[in-house]
Amino acid sequence: MAEEKKLFKVTIDNITIEVEPGTSILNAARKIGGDVAPPAMCYYTKLKGSGGKCRTCLVEVAAGSTADPRPMPKLVASCRTNVMDGMIVKNITSEKVIDARNGVVEFLLINHPLDCPICDQAGECSLQDLSYEHGKEATRYEFKRRTFEKHDMGPFIQLHMTRCILCYRCVFAADQLTDKREHGILDRGDHSEIATYIQKSLDHDFIGNIIDVCPVGALTDRTFRFKNRVWFLKPEDAHRDCPKCNGKVTLWYRGDEVFRVTARKDQWGEVQDWICNECRFEKKKTADWVIEGPTKISRHSVISANHYVGMEVPKETLPDVMGGRKPKLLMNIHSVSEVNRPGIDLSKIEGPAHSTDFVEAKNGS
Amino acid sequence: MGRKLLLEKAHVEGIRTYEVYRREGGYRSVEKALKTMTPDQITDEVKKSGLRGRGGAGFPTGMKWSFIAKPEGVPRHLVCNADESEPGTFKDRYLMEFLPHLLIEGLIVSSFALGSNVTYIYIRGEYAWIVDILEQAIAEAKQNGWLGNNILGTGFNCEIYVHRGAGAYICGEETALLESLEGKRGNPRIKPPFPAVKGAWDRPTVVNNVETLAAVVPIINIGAEEYAKIGIGKSTGTKLISACGNINKPGVYEIDMTISVEDFIYSDEYCGGIPNGKKLKACIPGGSSVPILPANLLLKTVKGETRIMNYESLSDGGFAKGSMMGSGGFIVLDEDQCVVRNTLTLARFYRHESCGQCSPCREGTGWMEKILKNIEYGKGKSSDIDLLWDIQRKIEGNTICPLGDAAAWPVAAAIRHFRDEFEWHVANPLESQKRNFGLAHYADPLESVTA
Ligand SMILES: Cc1cc2nc3c(=O)[nH]c(=O)nc-3n(C[C@H](O)[C@H](O)[C@H](O)COP(=O)(O)O)c2cc1C
Ligand code: SF4
Ligand code: SF4
Ligand code: FES
């Protein structure tokens, strides 16, 4: 037997785990799961060189390692910083992190069109989730938002640059999945944009995957545009014998009709296996596929709203983060509040409830 | 008068040509270094000299050199950073234009020390005519056996190539520079790995500023000890300062880092005072990225000591009460200058030059510019000042490269020291369009400044 590999001990938000050397803080935190995993808008496990850009995954390193326990002077991008043995990391337990992350989310939103009601990505958008967790209800930005013309990158993909957060994932995906480079970033700063060279179309067999890696609705499937809302669809895992890819996909049904085909995604929203354009855009009949069953969907996702099979209850980490103490925020209102009286069933009171109804209850009626 | 080590011969007729440069003692350091010293001895000498990087960060050069990885069979590179695009900084331009051979000489010695057989000069694209000057100097050096194969019979081979940038300030950041040198989009890399381990084409690389590499020549010629005697503390040797703004004699000056800021501004040998009898209001002492200081904090530190033109003294008081030596771009503002307008100009620059990779810098720089524009043009609100502060705070320290910080610091320093000027703009939208806030209390003795 080979000698056991030395593992690194790392403590993230008071939870200690052991991981292999070379693991990033983000991946270590994902191992713990739940709220301890920082949000990642640009990192993508399968894409070499990705990460480091969006800055949503910033964490505080309170101690670098057992050997050198000094804290790191700045917050670091957890997706691009590897753990050391004895490292102590603070994510949701660090006020600095929360403050910086709120800042990053605000930055990502100031020029975003916020057109979720007409965006195909709504319901499965990482930026929506991020703003839900960290965004403010009002904006401090009072200027005209940046806009771009939409363009079609060939028959299957539409680029709506106005929504792009410049995570570079599609650039890495296109570079790494295809043999020649046809798309990249033009210009710089707040005027930079994703573009093909003079609006050429992208027509590689695997290019459809850039739709799946896009965290927002900047790259959408033209064969699905405006056809349906994702939360009305039911995802089913399916496969077929495909000569080009391994043919493992998710079919998105409404009734008997397949509205779209995507790659399968893991719990962090990352594609498990790249699929080819033929599977994605041309096989939209149930007869093309062998159905495996309902896709597992997180209970937090709106997609789970209309079907309760295959729902996954997300991991609860808060009690561990708090070292066994019960989080104050999640107190039981019934046991603390004098106003609410759990013993009274409002629906059984005739007519509108009056304060007297409660007084009576208190008096032990 | 301060001692000159770099610009001493700048005005000798024909010094740009090889013959004159050589006649004036040029290339002696190459002879000394290649024939009598080992690469490690040169690095040690540079360490002992106390030379600090002249590109902005002031990192000790000898130490940087000693970090370079030396894996077997992998080429190493020296890259000279001649991208000089920081507003207010134009010292490298002067040095390259007048003394191209001094840079080439420094490059040969440094390449030998680092084992770089192929060395690059990455020069900002707008310096097109200097490319010709440098290429001419390289050709002359090669004709005379200072470059090429088996230099001086030592077996050391070295070629120098000049690479033109395409007009991006960000390509002065060392890892963006390397990307651009490799022919890619000039986005800063995420560190680690550092260039000393994986630089150009993933090979160990040292990036140094033009002035840093030129300073290697006098260090070898006069010896590290002699060099280190000049200056004070950790500010050894001489420093080129490019002075501009409201002064009588803008230009590039070589100082020995013992002179006071006040003397530098007012003495006839240097800036020659402020024109038209105007008073000093503020100064950005080290290029656009460093904090602006009001006159009273510029000339004296908070401890009441005279502020000296060197690394330690300029940064005395930290960011709250001091500034930085930076890249030596000394910008003087007289009583007629508006700090709000100046800050807007800088914010516009950083917004335009952000590479756009990371969200805080890409979005924050544009936001700050828009707010500053409102304040400057009489459309500001008093909450805008706090908002600006909050935005810069959320950019600083949270980005991939220091451009984010460089965009945040000028805004932070302007609000920190000149908040009442911002408030005056907001409170007097019409009047602020007609006149400036003026000197106000910014030159008053420190005691009267409320903290
Ligand atoms: C945005 C940005 C622009 C920079 N521009 C320059 C430049 O034009 N010239 C330069 O020498 N250093 C520049 N630097 C600093 C370099 O990254 C690097 O620190 C320097 O070239 C190292 O040389 P030195 O150690 O000799 O100072 C810049 C840094 C940043 C962040
Ligand atoms: S189009 Fe999508 S994947 Fe590409 S950079 Fe923009 S947000 Fe990222
Ligand atoms: S800080 Fe600005 S310039 Fe530097 S990498 Fe980020 S976006 Fe680019
Ligand atoms: S996910 Fe780490 S910086 Fe974007």
Side-chain angles (χ1 to χ4, degrees):
Chain A
M1 279 289 291
E3 216 182 291
E4 211 176 290
K5 245 215 221 128
K6 167 138 177 56
L7 295 178
F8 281 176
K9 251 201 186 94
V10 51
T11 305
I12 308 175
D13 286 338
N14 302 329
I15 302 175
T16 303
I17 54 159
E18 291 193 331
V19 295
E20 301 226 344
T23 307
S24 65
I25 298 174
L26 178 76
N27 281 330
R30 283 183 173 183
K31 272 204 167 144
I32 297 172
D35 293 324
V36 170
M41 299 294 288
C42 68
Y43 172 79
Y44 211 78
T45 314
K46 275 196 152 47
L47 299 173
K48 215 173 144 260
S50 68
K53 300 185 197 296
C54 71
R55 318 305 282 177
T56 54
C57 73
L58 290 175
V59 293
E60 181 182 342
V61 176
S65 64
T66 313
D68 181 0
R70 283 176 303 171
M72 292 192 182
K74 290 185 196 175
L75 304 182
V76 299
S78 61
C79 64
R80 293 291 295 252
T81 310
N82 285 351
V83 298
M84 300 297 283
D85 198 22
M87 187 185 258
I88 298 174
V89 179
K90 292 164 114 187
N91 177 28
I92 52 173
T93 48
S94 161
E95 276 183 32
K96 271 196 256 171
V97 169
I98 303 297
D99 181 52
R101 191 169 292 153
N102 289 347
V104 171
V105 175
E106 182 173 31
F107 287 135
L108 285 175
L109 290 175
I110 58 171
N111 274 303
H112 193 79
L114 302 174
D115 58 346
C116 312
I118 53 151
C119 176
D120 277 327
Q121 192 86 2
E124 53 176 14
C125 173
S126 307
L127 188 60
Q128 245 181 352
D129 297 345
L130 189 72
S131 345
Y132 186 74
E133 292 279 331
H134 300 277
K136 296 267 174 302
E137 55 287 342
T139 180
R140 300 190 287 174
Y141 189 73
E142 299 179 332
F143 303 92
K144 210 176 143 198
R145 286 163 196 256
R146 174 173 75 224
T147 53
F148 296 87
E149 298 271 304
K150 290 195 264 279
H151 30 95
D152 291 332
M153 297 164 123
F156 300 126
I157 304 169
Q158 186 176 75
L159 169 66
H160 198 338
M161 184 58 216
T162 307
R163 295 176 185 149
C164 170
I165 58 157
L166 286 163
C167 70
Y168 281 58
R169 281 181 186 173
C170 59
V171 179
F172 286 114
D175 270 4
Q176 289 166 31
L177 292 177
T178 68
D179 35 22
K180 62 181 197 297
R181 180 143 192 255
E182 285 175 343
H183 120 274
I185 308 236
L186 290 185
D187 227 315
R188 66 174 179 238
D190 63 356
H191 38 294
S192 44
E193 58 179 304
I194 298 288
T196 52
Y197 181 60
I198 325 190
Q199 306 200 5
K200 258 173 73 173
S201 69
L202 295 172
D203 52 9
H204 187 276
D205 258 351
F206 278 77
I207 201 68
N209 289 295
I210 67 174
I211 300 168
D212 280 345
V213 301
C214 185
V216 295
L219 292 169
T220 48
D221 180 343
R222 288 187 64 198
T223 67
F224 175 63
R225 266 176 69 75
F226 302 138
K227 292 252 171 78
N228 226 309
R229 311 271 14 181
V230 292
W231 56 87
F232 293 141
L233 303 181
K234 289 189 178 156
E236 297 270 345
D237 284 348
H239 65 265
R240 66 183 270 267
D241 251 341
C242 175
K244 294 183 198 147
C245 66
N246 76 1
K248 289 187 180 161
V249 302
T250 301
L251 303 179
W252 297 78
Y253 277 99
R254 180 153 186 182
D256 295 333
E257 195 181 343
V258 176
F259 272 83
R260 66 166 182 173
V261 182
T262 65
R264 290 190 199 166
K265 294 190 177 178
D266 65 15
Q267 61 166 319
W268 309 110
E270 293 186 11
V271 164
Q272 288 171 320
D273 291 292
W274 307 117
I275 61 168
C276 70
N277 283 5
E278 193 184 324
C279 286
R280 184 188 299 272
F281 300 117
E282 285 159 30
K283 300 287 170 198
K284 296 209 177 173
K285 285 198 294 292
T286 304
D288 295 327
W289 300 95
V290 181
I291 308 292
E292 295 171 17
T295 306
K296 285 197 163 53
I297 294 284
S298 161
R299 187 169 59 93
H300 282 186
S301 161
V302 291
I303 297 169
S304 71
N306 292 309
H307 54 104
Y308 295 97
V309 257
M311 203 166 66
E312 267 188 343
V313 180
K315 199 160 157 187
E316 189 55 78
T317 44
L318 270 185
D320 286 332
V321 172
M322 308 217 22
R325 280 176 298 133
K326 282 263 160 50
K328 251 253 164 71
L329 265 179
L330 306 180
M331 66 195 172
N332 183 349
I333 186 92
H334 295 306
S335 54
V336 214
S337 164
E338 283 290 307
V339 178
N340 258 4
R341 308 227 51 95
I344 298 175
D345 215 332
L346 284 179
S347 60
K348 287 188 185 146
I349 296 174
E350 245 174 274
H354 294 279
S355 49
T356 48
D357 294 330
F358 293 90
V359 177
E360 273 163 33
K362 208 173 184 176
N363 296 339
S365 65
Chain B
M1 184 157 165
R3 184 158 170 194
K4 292 202 176 8
L5 298 176
L6 298 174
L7 302 185
E8 196 185 356
K9 302 274 168 66
H11 294 292
V12 173
E13 172 99 16
I15 193 75
R16 216 186 250 171
T17 63
Y18 174 75
E19 286 71 31
V20 177
Y21 183 76
R22 177 71 177 144
R23 194 187 66 216
E24 294 287 329
Y27 289 98
R28 270 183 303 142
S29 72
V30 180
E31 285 175 312
K32 181 172 173 188
L34 268 64
K35 287 191 175 158
T36 69
M37 299 168 84
T38 65
D40 287 345
Q41 280 170 337
I42 300 172
T43 304
D44 276 348
E45 201 68 9
V46 173
K47 256 190 206 164
K48 268 189 268 168
S49 75
L51 175 65
R52 294 169 65 170
R54 306 296 198 222
F59 192 83
T61 306
M63 203 188 313
K64 189 181 211 172
W65 288 11
S66 64
F67 289 156
I68 193 169
K70 294 182 177 163
E72 201 65 40
V74 182
R76 301 188 284 276
H77 295 290
L78 170 66
V79 178
C80 170
N81 189 343
D83 193 55
E84 194 170 63
S85 321
E86 174 111 341
T89 310
F90 45 91
K91 62 186 179 72
D92 297 341
R93 160 182 167 173
Y94 188 92
L95 195 148
M96 292 186 288
E97 203 173 342
F98 288 90
L99 294 158
H101 280 285
L102 179 67
L103 175 61
I104 304 303
E105 183 176 352
L107 283 176
I108 299 168
V109 175
S110 310
S111 300
F112 178 68
L114 293 160
S116 164
N117 302 118
V118 181
T119 292
Y120 297 91
I121 302 173
Y122 185 99
I123 187 164
R124 84 178 275 198
E126 291 89 335
Y127 284 176
W129 76 101
I130 303 180
V131 177
D132 298 339
I133 296 173
L134 290 173
E135 285 186 335
Q136 173 76 22
I138 291 168
E140 287 172 349
K142 200 166 173 181
Q143 272 160 25
N144 290 283
W146 303 103
L147 283 170
N149 286 341
N150 195 16
I151 300 165
L152 303 181
T154 57
F156 175 62
N157 306 336
C158 185
E159 297 289 349
I160 299 176
Y161 298 103
V162 185
H163 185 99
R164 266 181 78 176
Y169 168 63
I170 191 57
C171 289
E173 193 281 331
E174 56 184 6
T175 58
L177 183 151
L178 294 173
E179 286 284 296
S180 174
L181 185 67
E182 290 180 11
K184 302 180 190 148
R185 182 185 163 84
N187 277 2
R189 295 177 181 169
I190 294 149
K191 288 173 266 189
F194 290 93
V197 178
K198 274 187 175 189
W201 298 281
D202 280 353
R203 298 165 180 169
T205 303
V206 163
V207 182
N208 273 133
N209 174 255
V210 170
E211 186 191 343
T212 313
L213 293 166
V216 171
V217 174
I219 290 172
I220 297 300
N221 282 338
I222 66 174
E225 270 172 40
E226 194 60 29
Y227 186 87
K229 276 187 202 152
I230 306 166
I232 317 174
K234 286 187 180 152
S235 301
T236 60
T238 61
K239 174 86 189 85
L240 299 184
I241 304 288
S242 58
C244 64
N246 303 117
I247 46 175
N248 279 314
K249 289 167 61 194
V252 176
Y253 297 100
E254 183 168 3
I255 60 162
D256 65 9
M257 298 199 267
T258 56
I259 175 174
S260 72
V261 176
E262 188 159 7
D263 282 349
F264 184 71
I265 296 177
Y266 291 103
S267 78
D268 284 335
E269 193 188 336
Y270 300 106
C271 304
I274 295 170
N276 311 318
K278 297 280 180 187
K279 294 199 193 71
L280 174 71
K281 177 174 179 180
C283 174
I284 304 171
S288 63
S289 307
V290 311
I292 186 172
L293 285 177
N296 48 17
L297 265 177
L298 174 74
L299 304 180
K300 290 226 186 317
T301 67
V302 257
K303 291 175 229 151
E305 290 160 5
T306 304
R307 214 185 271 280
I308 309 291
M309 296 281 290
N310 66 31
Y311 291 97
E312 291 89 357
S313 185
L314 284 174
S315 58
D316 191 321
F319 267 24
K321 304 278 179 196
S323 184
M324 272 167 84
M325 182 73 153
S327 54
F330 193 84
I331 309 168
V332 177
L333 283 72
D334 72 15
E335 57 187 301
D336 289 344
Q337 304 311 313
C338 169
V339 171
V340 176
R341 188 173 196 93
N342 175 73
T343 313
L344 166 63
T345 305
L346 296 182
R348 180 171 55 219
F349 173 79
Y350 289 105
R351 190 266 301 151
H352 187 255
E353 298 299 333
S354 161
C355 84
Q357 260 191 113
C358 43
S359 343
C361 172
R362 178 182 65 240
E363 306 295 346
T365 50
W367 195 1
M368 292 197 300
E369 184 200 351
K370 290 192 177 89
I371 296 171
L372 280 161
K373 208 176 200 165
N374 270 356
I375 300 178
E376 167 63 10
Y377 290 105
K379 285 182 265 169
K381 299 192 297 256
S382 55
S383 61
D384 283 347
I385 303 169
D386 289 333
L387 181 56
L388 266 181
W389 182 267
D390 197 50
I391 298 170
Q392 69 79 22
R393 187 179 70 78
K394 283 181 169 140
I395 300 173
E396 196 215 337
N398 292 336
T399 58
I400 296 175
C401 89
L403 188 138
D405 303 336
W409 294 339
V411 174
I415 297 177
R416 185 181 293 125
H417 301 301
F418 299 88
R419 190 174 177 113
D420 32 14
E421 184 159 355
F422 283 84
E423 284 169 353
W424 178 79
H425 269 256
V426 171
N428 303 282
L430 293 177
E431 200 182 349
S432 71
Q433 301 310 295
K434 286 186 232 125
R435 72 166 183 98
N436 276 332
F437 190 54
L439 184 62
H441 54 79
Y442 298 126
D444 294 356
L446 270 183
E447 288 70 33
S448 68
V449 181
T450 44

